Amino acid sequence: MSQNTYCEPKIFIGDVNITEFDSFKITEPGSNQINNCDIQVSDVLLNKSKLLNEELKIYLNYGAEDSTPIFRGFIKQVTPSNSIIKIRAVDPRGLLSGNEGFVFNADDINN
């Protein structure tokens, strides 16, 4: 999404406002698949901070009457370079799926 639209998007990693981002793209594939978000950040100082598994929130109009995040998830992939950092986050359902997912077994005895 471009920052030249009528809204003023804000991105938060944890409680830190990320002011220098180039773009973000939210993908909602539907059919009960996990939503994800790709962000390109030009603030290379984030390289040294802990980003994996941090909460990520994106607001379209933070501080306005509708301060509900359009995307809320957890960072699962970080690709740094000299000029930008690419971040991929998945929605909270991503904590239950994949190799890092929480193992849950329910049967008639242990439920």
Side-chain angles (χ1 to χ4, degrees):
M1 175 173 206
S2 172
Q3 291 185 14
N4 296 327
T5 58
Y6 65 92
C7 60
E8 188 178 340
K10 303 271 186 192
I11 296 178
F12 288 88
I13 297 178
D15 293 330
V16 178
N17 183 6
I18 306 303
T19 56
E20 297 183 29
F21 64 93
D22 295 332
S23 64
F24 66 89
K25 178 181 176 184
I26 299 171
T27 305
E28 297 176 347
S31 298
N32 206 22
Q33 295 180 6
I34 295 174
N35 302 336
N36 60 47
C37 177
D38 294 314
I39 302 172
Q40 288 189 1
V41 179
S42 56
D43 185 6
V44 293
L45 295 178
L46 289 176
N47 275 339
K48 297 179 181 176
S49 63
K50 178 185 169 286
L51 293 177
L52 288 177
N53 295 324
E54 285 290 318
E55 183 181 26
L56 179 121
K57 294 180 276 189
I58 298 177
Y59 295 90
L60 288 182
N61 281 322
Y62 185 71
E65 294 177 11
D66 57 341
S67 291
T68 302
I70 190 169
F71 180 83
R72 185 175 185 181
F74 295 92
I75 297 174
K76 287 297 178 185
Q77 182 179 4
V78 178
T79 308
S81 71
N82 292 335
S83 58
I84 63 170
I85 300 172
K86 294 180 182 180
I87 297 173
R88 171 162 278 205
V90 296
D91 70 4
R93 294 177 296 163
L95 298 175
L96 300 174
S97 66
N99 294 336
E100 300 173 3
F102 177 72
V103 177
F104 175 76
N105 293 322
D107 55 17
D108 292 336
I109 299 170
N110 298 319
N111 54 12

